[in-house]
Amino acid sequence: MNRFLKDKEHLVRMAALFAVGVVLFLILKAVLVPKGFGVYGHYRAGALADNRVRAPRFAGRSACIECHTDERDAWKGGKHAGVGCEACHGALAKHAEDPSASNAFKPDPKTICFTCHLTNAAKPRKFPQIDPKNHFDGGACNGCHSPHAPDKEPKK
Amino acid sequence: MEEGLLHAVQGFMYPNEVELQWSILIVLYPFTTGLVAGAFILASLERVFNVQAVKPTYRLALLSALAFLLVAPLPLQLHLGHPERSLEMYLTPHTSSAMAMFGFIYLWYLMGVLVLEIWLDYRKDMVLLARSETGWKKTLYRVLTLGVDNISEESLRIDDKLGRFITIVGIPSAFLLHGYVGFIFGSVKANPWWSTPVMPIVFLFSAIVSGIALVLLMYMLVCFLKGISIDMPCVDTIARYLMYAFLIDFSLEMLDLIHRIYEADESFKSLDFMAHTQLYTSQIIVQIIFGTIVPISMLAFIQVVKLSEAARKGIYVLAGLLTLMGIFAMRWNVVIGGQLFSKSFLGYTTYKMAFATKEGLLPAILLMILPFGILWVLVKVLPPFEEEKAAV
Amino acid sequence: MSSDRRDFVLTAGKLLVLTAPAAAYLEAVETGKAEEPAYKMAEHYWGMIVDVDKCIGCGNCVRACKTENDVPVEPYFFRTWVERYHVAEGAEHPDVDSPDGGYSGFPEKYAAGDGAKSFFVPKLCNQCAHSPCTQVCPVGATFESPDGAVLVDKSYCLGCRYCVQACPYGCRFIDPRTKTVDKCNLCYHRITKGLTTACCESCPTGARQLVDLKDPKDPVHDFLRDHKIQVLKPQLATGAKVYYNGLDGSVR
């Protein structure tokens, strides 16, 4: 070894150690960074698909009225036409997929209406609200009101 | 448990805020990195600015910094929901994230600055020890010297020059290391308790304060344990620096406080209420009064009144301990305090620290003992005192 | 190479949990080369309209969200929740509550005719275009998708909780089961299939409506033009895309 390097040999070795470290890191990085990272931005492109794989539990009103045409006709044009079926009947994607699999949840006509229509000071004033003290005899609401279209005649 | 959580809530918090996110472990993180940065900056004083008086503590300061730096990432690692994924910080660092850069700054500071500087400074000692020791110790030192036995004058001159250069690079690196920890908090615009541009500077100066206090105490402790007489001009000088740094730190914090009080923006009433209730003990009593004003007064008192050596030593120990307590309280008040109020400014919660859980007090205590264990090993392997070597 | 081995493990894992066509589709999207033919990300940009005057605090959205997205039912985590505001005349601060996030509705607690203004405000992730939360994620495990949803990559999240701290609206939480962050993803699995979100589907009054800002036929454009619109905490410039109509100044 020449004289110039002789007194720096320890530094050369240290530098080599650092270089090995850097190279190792670069190899690790090349191997371990997930595929598709950075395609759309600084994230794994596959994460988009991961967020999409979940199966919906709510089928959506358009799926319901495909079969339930009687209910659709009663519901359309009434005051509850903006209310989705599953708002009262629960999540029914399974039922929409296979009607025999599970039956629609039949809400209790004595209580379900209070979910929305129970009086509350924070509700918009023009929203129809019921104080059970004045307007409730313990019977079912659908005795007088048609749940699918309360402004229409109730079903007898 | 949820019932318990809600009991802690006063007023209104967004539902998801009821659970506190960052525990005492995250308090340790800025505390330990602060000690590292501070200890290094004190060590650099001797090397770069040729402050001969603090020379006896130079090596001890470097080793202390290394011991605490090795521990610094552990609380973070323990806190993660998925510690096994932490390598992602190096693989796909998000450049817009303050936290992502920590990995790189940490690695740079550890390898590029501290380890290299210690290695260069100790190379002569290691070569001599490799020659004189036997058995596994000889092997250890041979490995540490990378198998190079050369301690010619020229090689040592080169080491010294390079070491000096690294120290010069190291000072801004130390500033970066801790100023940047301040930025992690200071850049969160959602949180008015954290979000202030002075946060990095406050963190930096409090880091310097805590580092100096640590080295002061460590030096006196090691001298006591080894029966070496304390170099009084050295500790007097360090204590003076401690006071200066503390005054700057305190001024900055007061500036921030006055600014907040005077501007009194939308968050002020909420934060003010918090400081007078939940944070009253840890902020006003522990941090400001006993952790700042008292030690500064003690150190200032010494500058004015001439006291005996024994009295000065006693005051230094007390002031140093109070300082560390005050800086720890400051970290606590930043990290925990920033989570005790709702971002709706309408409610507050309290932090109930667990004991023997993953993020409880017990692991926190163990993590604070660990650096002293590491330092004990480092001092054994790399003796920091010249006198000692002569005596052996 | 070990990357091959890793791919194999990934593929095998996917085959274990997914049907073959689903796995193949996932593989295609994962590489970033293919999209489901029916759905083009570039053609959509999602947001939501919340009409405060229509919200009746029934809690349907909260319940639907928990069902649809399997959000921990036990309190206290929510992808969406409803707050009740009660603002006495001249009061500096409103009284706000959100019992169980509104999951079981809002039992009346104020006397009728107490002279105060009272209303409900549904909250959810604002799907910010300049999200403070995605900005701070150290590894890219949460991000704004090209079609305007802020999503989480659960298989990549460290659980460091920095994003939870960075969200000004309190929309994020750590799912205790996965130890990764969770938040409203605008029912990304639904909206990419042509469905609306679970909360919008089950909202009885139309107080919340999913909107596609890139669809010229979406009624959102008329709505935004015809109403005085506000986003939450506009001073933080987060680029929030949940637009509130009739939002009171007292809402935080």
Side-chain angles (χ1 to χ4, degrees):
Chain A
M1 187 164 293
N2 67 40
R3 273 215 57 81
F4 174 74
L5 264 184
K6 190 171 178 298
D7 288 326
K8 290 180 182 152
E9 200 196 340
H10 58 289
L11 296 178
V12 173
R13 288 193 187 185
M14 188 51 116
L17 216 58
F18 270 76
V20 169
V22 171
V23 169
L24 267 178
F25 171 70
L26 291 176
I27 292 173
L28 218 59
K29 192 165 165 145
V31 173
L32 289 181
V33 171
K35 216 173 11 164
F37 200 99
V39 173
Y40 298 111
H42 191 83
Y43 55 91
R44 214 168 48 84
L48 288 164
D50 290 355
N51 272 275
R52 293 171 63 173
V53 287
R54 189 177 186 78
R57 296 203 179 159
F58 284 84
R61 56 198 81 178
S62 49
C64 307
I65 59 174
E66 260 179 48
C67 301
H68 299 278
T69 47
D70 282 358
E71 283 78 2
R72 178 196 64 194
D73 295 342
W75 167 72
K76 275 233 162 131
K79 264 198 156 182
H80 277 174
V83 183
C85 314
E86 289 158 304
C88 300
H89 293 284
L92 287 162
K94 264 194 192 141
H95 170 75
E97 226 166 75
D98 176 8
S100 67
S102 62
N103 279 322
F105 165 66
K106 278 239 171 74
D108 180 357
K110 286 181 189 170
T111 55
I112 181 73
C113 304
F114 287 129
T115 307
C116 295
H117 292 290
L118 188 64
T119 183
N120 190 304
K123 281 182 185 172
R125 210 156 296 169
K126 57 180 187 277
F127 184 78
Q129 296 165 56
I130 298 301
D131 185 345
K133 269 182 269 166
N134 314 327
H135 184 102
F136 186 54
D137 58 5
C141 303
N142 63 355
C144 304
H145 309 275
S146 160
H148 287 147
D151 47 338
K152 296 183 189 172
E153 279 296 299
K155 272 192 291 183
K156 289 293 171 193
Chain B
M1 181 189 158
E2 282 76 18
E3 284 288 302
L5 278 177
L6 280 179
H7 269 298
V9 175
Q10 193 186 342
F12 172 72
M13 299 196 93
Y14 298 131
N16 293 328
E17 283 182 321
V18 170
E19 186 194 47
L20 230 71
Q21 302 299 322
W22 284 351
S23 63
I24 184 171
L25 292 185
I26 307 298
V27 178
L28 292 188
Y29 160 61
F31 184 63
T32 44
T33 51
L35 294 174
V36 173
F40 181 84
I41 287 164
L42 181 65
S44 319
L45 276 178
E46 186 269 325
R47 190 125 191 188
V48 177
F49 303 110
N50 269 321
V51 182
Q52 286 301 321
V54 302
K55 194 171 170 132
T57 62
Y58 171 67
R59 286 181 153 186
L60 189 66
L62 283 185
L63 295 182
S64 305
L66 181 60
F68 277 92
L69 192 62
L70 287 172
V71 173
L74 295 184
L76 296 182
Q77 190 72 16
L78 205 57
H79 164 81
L80 287 182
H82 284 272
E84 79 283 1
R85 293 181 186 166
S86 57
L87 194 64
E88 288 168 7
M89 297 258 273
Y90 289 107
L91 297 175
T92 55
H94 193 197
T95 43
S96 73
S97 167
M99 195 183 275
M101 293 303 111
F102 172 72
F104 291 94
I105 293 178
Y106 174 80
L107 211 59
W108 158 252
Y109 191 72
L110 177 69
M111 301 310 296
V113 176
L114 257 187
V115 166
L116 216 52
E117 178 159 340
I118 293 173
W119 185 71
L120 288 170
D121 193 65
Y122 272 100
R123 210 177 62 79
K124 184 181 166 194
D125 304 47
M126 291 188 297
V127 168
L128 291 175
L129 284 161
R131 286 176 188 170
S132 61
E133 292 287 351
T134 54
W136 66 270
K137 278 192 174 173
K138 189 182 185 74
T139 320
L140 172 71
Y141 288 113
R142 274 195 66 98
V143 170
L144 286 176
T145 56
L146 301 180
V148 177
D149 187 49
N150 180 8
I151 43 169
S152 68
E153 243 172 65
E154 175 62 10
S155 72
L156 292 180
R157 198 189 59 79
I158 293 170
D159 284 356
D160 189 57
K161 230 171 106 181
L162 190 59
R164 212 183 144 77
F165 173 74
I166 289 170
T167 314
I168 291 171
V169 176
I171 293 175
S173 300
F175 275 58
L176 190 66
L177 178 74
H178 207 70
Y180 150 86
V181 174
F183 187 76
I184 288 185
F185 293 96
S187 63
V188 177
K189 70 176 168 188
N191 190 322
W193 186 249
W194 292 342
S195 177
T196 159
V198 298
M199 190 64 95
I201 312 179
V202 168
F203 260 54
L204 186 61
F205 275 94
S206 55
I208 295 174
V209 168
S210 66
I212 294 177
L214 175 77
V215 174
L216 179 67
L217 288 172
M218 286 309 294
Y219 175 68
M220 292 169 77
L221 179 71
V222 172
C223 286
F224 173 75
L225 290 176
K226 289 193 177 288
I228 305 168
S229 63
I230 292 173
D231 184 335
M232 279 318 280
C234 171
V235 285
D236 287 338
T237 312
I238 294 179
R240 209 166 59 241
Y241 287 143
L242 178 60
M243 186 187 71
Y244 295 150
F246 222 160
L247 282 171
I248 297 174
D249 176 44
F250 190 51
S251 313
L252 284 169
E253 283 190 46
M254 287 304 108
L255 176 69
D256 184 43
L257 191 66
I258 290 165
H259 192 83
R260 282 169 187 272
I261 293 172
Y262 194 83
E263 277 201 348
D265 68 6
E266 54 161 5
S267 65
F268 176 70
K269 279 204 169 151
S270 182
L271 301 183
D272 186 50
F273 178 83
M274 181 177 74
H276 284 90
T277 51
Q278 270 97 335
L279 280 188
Y280 186 77
T281 311
S282 61
Q283 171 111 343
I284 312 281
I285 307 282
V286 180
Q287 181 191 332
I288 296 181
I289 297 178
F290 286 101
T292 305
I293 294 175
V294 170
I296 288 184
S297 310
M298 289 165 84
L299 294 169
F301 182 70
I302 287 180
Q303 306 303 317
V304 200
V305 182
K306 265 212 174 319
L307 290 174
S308 72
E309 249 184 43
R312 291 209 312 274
K313 279 184 203 163
I315 285 181
Y316 292 154
V317 170
L318 194 58
L321 288 173
L322 284 176
T323 301
L324 286 182
M325 179 191 76
I327 301 295
F328 183 83
M330 182 261 180
R331 310 296 190 224
W332 174 280
N333 294 325
V334 169
V335 175
I336 302 296
Q339 305 176 81
L340 294 183
F341 66 95
S342 169
K343 285 169 189 154
S344 67
F345 307 134
L346 293 171
Y348 311 88
T349 186
T350 45
Y351 172 48
K352 291 224 164 52
M353 187 165 41
F355 181 68
T357 61
K358 193 178 79 136
E359 297 197 37
L361 182 61
L362 184 67
I365 291 172
L366 293 177
L367 281 170
M368 281 324 287
I369 294 174
L370 185 59
F372 293 98
I374 296 177
L375 185 59
W376 182 78
V377 174
L378 284 175
V379 169
K380 285 271 169 212
V381 176
L382 304 169
F385 298 118
E386 304 277 339
E387 302 93 311
E388 203 186 352
K389 247 185 306 164
V392 171
Chain C
M1 270 293 285
S2 65
S3 75
D4 291 335
R5 195 179 313 145
R6 183 174 180 278
D7 285 348
F8 170 75
V9 173
L10 277 179
T11 313
K14 274 171 199 152
L15 287 174
L16 281 175
V17 290
L18 299 171
T19 56
Y25 154 70
L26 191 60
E27 180 66 30
V29 183
E30 211 154 65
T31 50
K33 287 184 191 117
E35 289 173 29
E36 194 175 326
Y39 182 78
K40 295 250 184 300
M41 280 194 294
E43 289 170 4
H44 304 275
Y45 200 60
W46 301 106
M48 196 175 275
I49 289 174
V50 174
D51 204 336
V52 177
D53 290 335
K54 284 186 177 172
C55 182
I56 56 169
C58 65
N60 254 7
C61 50
V62 184
R63 292 186 292 271
C65 177
K66 288 215 171 190
T67 304
E68 179 72 29
N69 296 298
D70 205 16
V71 181
V73 174
E74 281 293 298
Y76 228 88
F77 301 119
F78 298 90
R79 284 184 171 206
T80 186
W81 69 96
V82 181
E83 295 166 4
R84 168 167 54 187
Y85 275 71
H86 189 83
V87 194
E89 198 182 316
E92 201 167 346
H93 296 295
D95 266 340
V96 186
D97 71 335
S98 180
D100 206 358
Y103 185 86
S104 312
F106 289 81
E108 183 64 283
K109 71 177 222 185
Y110 299 110
D114 63 358
K117 171 165 64 176
S118 196
F119 50 90
F120 297 108
V121 184
K123 295 273 187 84
L124 69 156
C125 166
N126 289 280
Q127 315 295 340
C128 304
H130 319 294
S131 301
C133 58
T134 62
Q135 181 186 30
V136 303
C137 176
V139 297
T142 181
F143 55 92
E144 292 142 37
S145 72
D147 43 355
V150 176
L151 305 178
V152 172
D153 184 347
K154 288 205 158 207
S155 64
Y156 210 60
C157 172
L158 297 172
C160 74
R161 302 174 181 236
Y162 199 16
C163 59
V164 186
Q165 305 283 13
C167 174
Y169 309 105
C171 294
R172 288 173 170 258
F173 60 90
I174 296 286
D175 188 326
R177 297 162 303 188
T178 60
K179 295 186 166 52
T180 53
V181 78
D182 196 30
K183 63 177 278 296
C184 163
N185 65 352
L186 217 54
C187 282
Y188 199 65
H189 61 295
R190 296 176 63 89
I191 62 176
T192 53
K193 292 184 181 83
L195 296 166
T196 187
T197 64
C199 56
C200 293
E201 178 60 46
S202 57
C203 175
T205 63
R208 34 205 305 167
Q209 281 161 50
L210 175 77
V211 296
D212 184 352
L213 298 158
K214 263 196 189 168
D215 178 1
K217 283 187 285 205
D218 195 307
V220 63
H221 304 291
D222 290 334
F223 191 90
L224 292 179
R225 192 171 48 239
D226 295 343
H227 295 84
K228 310 290 182 287
I229 298 292
Q230 185 57 288
V231 294
L232 294 173
K233 302 192 180 183
Q235 74 276 17
L236 293 179
T238 55
K241 298 208 301 301
V242 173
Y243 302 102
Y244 285 84
N245 178 41
L247 191 72
D248 192 72
S250 62
V251 176
R252 319 294 176 93

